[in-house]
Every structure is written in structure tokens, then in C-alpha cells.
């Protein structure tokens, strides 16, 4: 049943400082809403349980991106359309630009935000495994101050995170250190690219160092309660000859590391099999040196 | 159930729609879609799925395509909105509207306003799109009647490009 707007409140404090003061004074009372592409879907269906919402739209501090020679800080309210256009992201973090192009259709990319996707903590968020393989950090802010945390520690369970009730995500920080010879891989398997949530998702980076797997980082979506970094599979692969069926070695570890479920979009068995195949595709790509 | 909960106060929200300034007294979480249709009487903006999947409720919001079913009206305060009613100039249809007519790109018509606005955004960014670009530009707009072919042809016609077959 459609939600009754009369029983919901939404406020838009004039400044970010005012917004932080509000959630400091009344923690747990207010649910932030940015682009609305997740919360408004629940609201329209009459299923949004929080009744008091705090609009984060319009705070310039959250929309800016700042590039220094060593890092790129992406404001949490940066939209997927902004990400697709951003020259540093396109050149140095191509998987993020590609994931952004798969998120919803154009209208949703114009509204949906990277910070919102992280805070919503969906196990199927297209950009989240990519942030894991790029070793992103998050800058969290509150009226008390700020803290920098590795993104890999952010999600603690299905739609749960370490974000305190008085905190907001300020920005997503990516390290720009040179990645010579690094290969970037991402694949989404879903009913279609636009407007369909993934069934299985793998993001991966790594190098071919004298025929061996090197600096491998893997992260998967939709195969567990949160997007996960596949640390054990990475360790199993590191230093292994790429010409000697590395997948055979890694796939047992991979199967132990993921916890896919049967749900409306797919089955656990399908997800495990496809993820293994995606890893095989990445390793095959890595085995072939880049043509100069 | 909802009647036992305290009611929120209505607030004044100001925006321009199709060039005209409007001030509406609304609950802050009302959907822009409903305010456009019911307060502004601009019923060209359609509701399809109501969850941001189908694109029937597309509008241009501060010059970019957005699903008005996903915008709480408070977030429209100060915004510039263009709906399908704002495209024609007097008696002259917008070239995309004319092309949709000529190509038979509308059947039931529910998706058409959103399709046209998505195409407006596409042609602003990519004035001479190829088929792949047209498909991507309209990927957030679903049509259950036409099978899309005439829609893509209409967009190509308005842009003055030939679609390779």
C-alpha cells in the first residue's frame, strides 16, 4: 500500500553543520536520504520504516571531489553520472566508472550517490566490490569530529555497518599510487545491465609478474550478506603460475570463502558456479600479457 | 494505523516548472510526481511502476533526467523542472515529439513522455547518437507496447542520423 506522506517528516537543514548538529542531538531519530534511489523505492511501496528523514541534497562539501597527486577524495553525494564523467576516475579507477554505468538507468545515475550506495550497504551494490579492490578508505564526519576508516571494515552484516547514529559519510578516498602493469577486471551477471540488480559480481585487479599472479585483489557482490573481499582466494593465488591452471587451485578456497543464498534473483549453486567462472576469466586475461 | 501517528506539518515548497514559478503547500515527503500531477495539474508525467524502474515519471530536474517518483518534494525546493508539457513551443511540437508522431513510436502512450524526456537528455549530451547510444540513453525507460524499434527510429530521425541495420 502507498505510504501516507502526512506521517513522514523530511527536513533539509541549511548547512551540513546544522545537519550534523541535528543527528548529534537526536541520534537514531533521523535517517539520511541523499539521491532517494533506495529509500524512495521503499517509501513508494509503503515499506519505509523510518519516519523522520534528513535530506543531504545540496551540501556542496559532500558533492566535491578533490584530487591531489597521491589521492582522490570523492564526495559522498557524488552521483553515478558524475563518476562516469570524472577524468581521474575514468583513467585511474576504470572499474568504478564502468560500475557506475551499470547502476540503474540514466535517471537513477543522475540521482543515486556513491555514499548512499555504501550507507545502504546492499550486498548487491554495483560499485561496492570495486571500492574493495581499490582499497578505498572512508572519511566519516560527525559533530564530534572525523575519522578515516578502511572501507573493508565498514559493513558488519546484511545492511549493517559501523556508521554511528550521529555520523555521515563525507567522502570516499582512493589511493592514486602508480599501478604499473595492473590489470582491471569487473563483470556483472544479471538479467540485464541497466535497471537490474546483479546475481553475481566480481571485481578484480592484479599483475602478471613473469608469468605469475601478483598483487591480486578480488571482491565479489551478491554472494554473501555484504560485498566481500576474497582475501583467502587472493592469498591462494599470489605467486602462482598463471599458465598452470591457477583456477583449479583457487576454486576450492573460493568456495569456502563465499556464502551465497537462494533468493528471488538466483540460486546459491548458480552463483558459486558463475563466480568461479568469472575468476577463471580474470585469470585467463591476466595470463595473456598486454600487447605494447 | 496511520491516523494514530502524529501528522507532519505541511511546508511551502517553491520551484519553477516549465518556466513558471510555483509555490505549493505540501507534506515534505510527498513525491514530486504526485505534486506535479495533482497540485500543478500536469498529468503528462505518468506513474508506471512507482519505484524508479520504468521511467514513465521522468522529468528534467535542474537540467538532468530524474524519476519524479523518487524525489521527495522538499528536495525540489528551488529546482527548475521541465515536464513533457514544457517541450512544445506554442503550436510547434518539439522535434522529438514530431518524430515520435511520424514514426509511430507511441502506442498506449504511458511511456512516451518519459521516453521523449530521456531522448532530450541524450541528444543534449550526444547530438548524433548511434543505435548503441540511443539504447543506453533510453535503457531506464520501459515500453511494453512497441518493442522499441519505432522509438529508436524516432530518436534517430529527430537527431538526423541513419540507424545502421
Amino acid at each position: 500500500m502507498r505510504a501516507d506522506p502526512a506521517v513522514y517528516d523530511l527536513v533539509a537543514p541549511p548547512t551540513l553543520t546544522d545537519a550534523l548538529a541535528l543527528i548529534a542531538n537526536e541520534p537514531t531519530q533521523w535517517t539520511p536520504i541523499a539521491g532517494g534511489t533506495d529509500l524512495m523505492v521503499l517509501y513508494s511501496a509503503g515499506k519505509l520504516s523510518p519516519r523522520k528523514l534528513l535530506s543531504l541534497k545540496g551540501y556542496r562539501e559532500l558533492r566535491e571531489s578533490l584530487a591531489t597527486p597521491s589521492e582522490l577524495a570523492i564526495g559522498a553525494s557524488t552521483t553515478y553520472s558524475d563518476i562516469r564523467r570524472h577524468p581521474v576516475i575514468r583513467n585511474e579507477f576504470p572499474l568504478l566508472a564502468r560500475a557506475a554505468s551499470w547502476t540503474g538507468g540514466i535517471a537513477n545515475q543522475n540521482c543515486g550517490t556513491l555514499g548512499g550506495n555504501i550507507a545502504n550497504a546492499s550486498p548487491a551494490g554495483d560499485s561496492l566490490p570495486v571500492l574493495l579492490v581499490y582499497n578505498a578508505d572512508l572519511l566519516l564526519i560527525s559533530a564530534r569530529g572525523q575519522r578515516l576508516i578502511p572501507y573493508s571494515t565498514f559493513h558488519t552484516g546484511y545492511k549493517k555497518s559501523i556508521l554511528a547514529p550521529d555520523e555521515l559519510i563525507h567522502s570516499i578516498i582512493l589511493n592514486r599510487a602508480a599501478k604499473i602493469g595492473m590489470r582491471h577486471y569487473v563483470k556483472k551477471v544479471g538479467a540485464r545491465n541497466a535497471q537490474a540488480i546483479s546475481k553475481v559480481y566480481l571485481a578484480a585487479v592484479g599483475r602478471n609478474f613473469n608469468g605469475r599472479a601478483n598483487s591480486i585483489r578480488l571482491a565479489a557482490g551478491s554472494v554473501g550478506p555484504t560485498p566481500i573481499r576474497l582475501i583467502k582466494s587472493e592469498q591462494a593465488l599470489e605467486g602462482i603460475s598463471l599458465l598452470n591452471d591457477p583456477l583449479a587451485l583457487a576454486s576450492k578456497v573460493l568456495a569456502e570463502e563465499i556464502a551465497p543464498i537462494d533468493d528471488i534473483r538466483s540460486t546459491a549453486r548458480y552463483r558459486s558456479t558463475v563466480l568461479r567462472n568469472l575468476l577463471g576469466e580474470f585469470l585467463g586475461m591476466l595470463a595473456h600479457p598486454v600487447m605494447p | 494505523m496511520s491516523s494514530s501517528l502524529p501528522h507532519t506539518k505541511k511546508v511551502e515548497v517553491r520551484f519553477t516548472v516549465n518556466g513558471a514559478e510555483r509555490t505549493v503547500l505540501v507534506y515534505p515527503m510527498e513525491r514530486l510526481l504526485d505534486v506535479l500531477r495533482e497540485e500543478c495539474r500536469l498529468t503528462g508525467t505518468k506513474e508506471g511502476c512507482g519505484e524508479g524502474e520504468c521511467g514513465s515519471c521522468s522529468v528534467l530536474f535542474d537540467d538532468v533526467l530524474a524519476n519524479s517518483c523518487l524525489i521527495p518534494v522538499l528536495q525540489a525546493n528551488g529546482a527548475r523542472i521541465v515536464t513533457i508539457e514544457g517541450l512544445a513551443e506554442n503550436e510547434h511540437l518539439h522535434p522529438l515529439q514530431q518524430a515520435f508522431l511520424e514514426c509511430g513510436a507511441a502506442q498506449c502512450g504511458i511511456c512516451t513522455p518519459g521516453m521523449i524526456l530521456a531522448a532530450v537528455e541524450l541528444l543534449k549530451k550526444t547530438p548524433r547518437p548511434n543505435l548503441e547510444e540511443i539504447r543506453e540513453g533510453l535503457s531506464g525507460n520501459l515500453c511494453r507496447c512497441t518493442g522499441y524499434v519505432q522509438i529508436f527510429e524516432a530518436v534517430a530521425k529527430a537527431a538526423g542520423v541513419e540507424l545502421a541495420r
Side-chain angles (χ1 to χ4, degrees), chain A residues 1-2 4-12 33-38 40-41 43-45 48 51 53 55-57 81 84-85 101 104-111 192 194-197, chain B residues 1-3 5-9 27-31 34 47 49-55 58 61 64-67 69-75 121 125 136-142 148:
Chain A
M1 203 184 84
R2 176 73 56 78
D4 176 3
V7 301
Y8 284 87
D9 199 6
L10 171 65
V11 295
I33 178 169
T37 52
D38 283 316
M40 289 302 287
V41 174
Y43 172 78
S44 263
L48 182 64
R51 296 296 168 110
L53 296 122
S55 174
L56 300 181
K57 201 162 178 144
S81 298
R84 289 183 70 177
R85 281 193 295 263
S101 78
I106 303 297
N108 288 337
Q109 290 170 15
N110 286 338
C111 297
R192 70 203 277 268
Q195 303 289 53
I197 294 168
Chain B
M1 62 166 206
S2 55
S3 57
L5 287 159
H7 276 213
T8 302
K9 272 208 188 91
Y27 293 114
M29 275 295 281
E30 282 185 56
R31 304 180 306 172
D34 299 322
E47 174 160 17
C49 66
E51 52 183 49
E53 285 274 341
C54 77
S58 300
F61 187 94
V64 298
L65 192 72
N67 289 319
C69 74
L70 300 185
I71 301 176
V73 67
L74 186 72
Q75 289 191 339
E121 163 134 330
K125 290 189 298 197
E136 200 210 342
L138 303 186
S139 63
N141 295 75
L142 305 184
Y148 299 99

Side-chain angles (χ1 to χ4, degrees), chain B residues 98-119:
Chain B
Q98 189 63 40
F100 268 63
L101 251 179
E102 289 168 13
C103 294
Q107 282 187 34
C108 86
I110 292 285
C111 75
T112 312
M115 284 285 178
I116 291 179
L117 288 164

Side-chain angles (χ1 to χ4, degrees), chain A residues 151-191:
Chain A
Y151 170 57
S152 57
T153 64
F154 183 78
H155 302 293
T156 54
Y158 179 69
K159 301 220 168 197
K160 290 204 173 84
S161 77
I162 60 163
L163 196 67
D166 66 340
E167 273 181 321
L168 297 174
I169 303 173
H170 177 275
S171 46
I172 296 92
I173 294 161
L174 299 172
N175 186 328
R176 298 180 70 188
K179 300 167 188 73
I180 296 160
M182 204 66 139
R183 308 287 296 271
H184 302 244
Y185 171 94
V186 66
K187 191 159 272 189
K188 165 178 179 166
V189 177

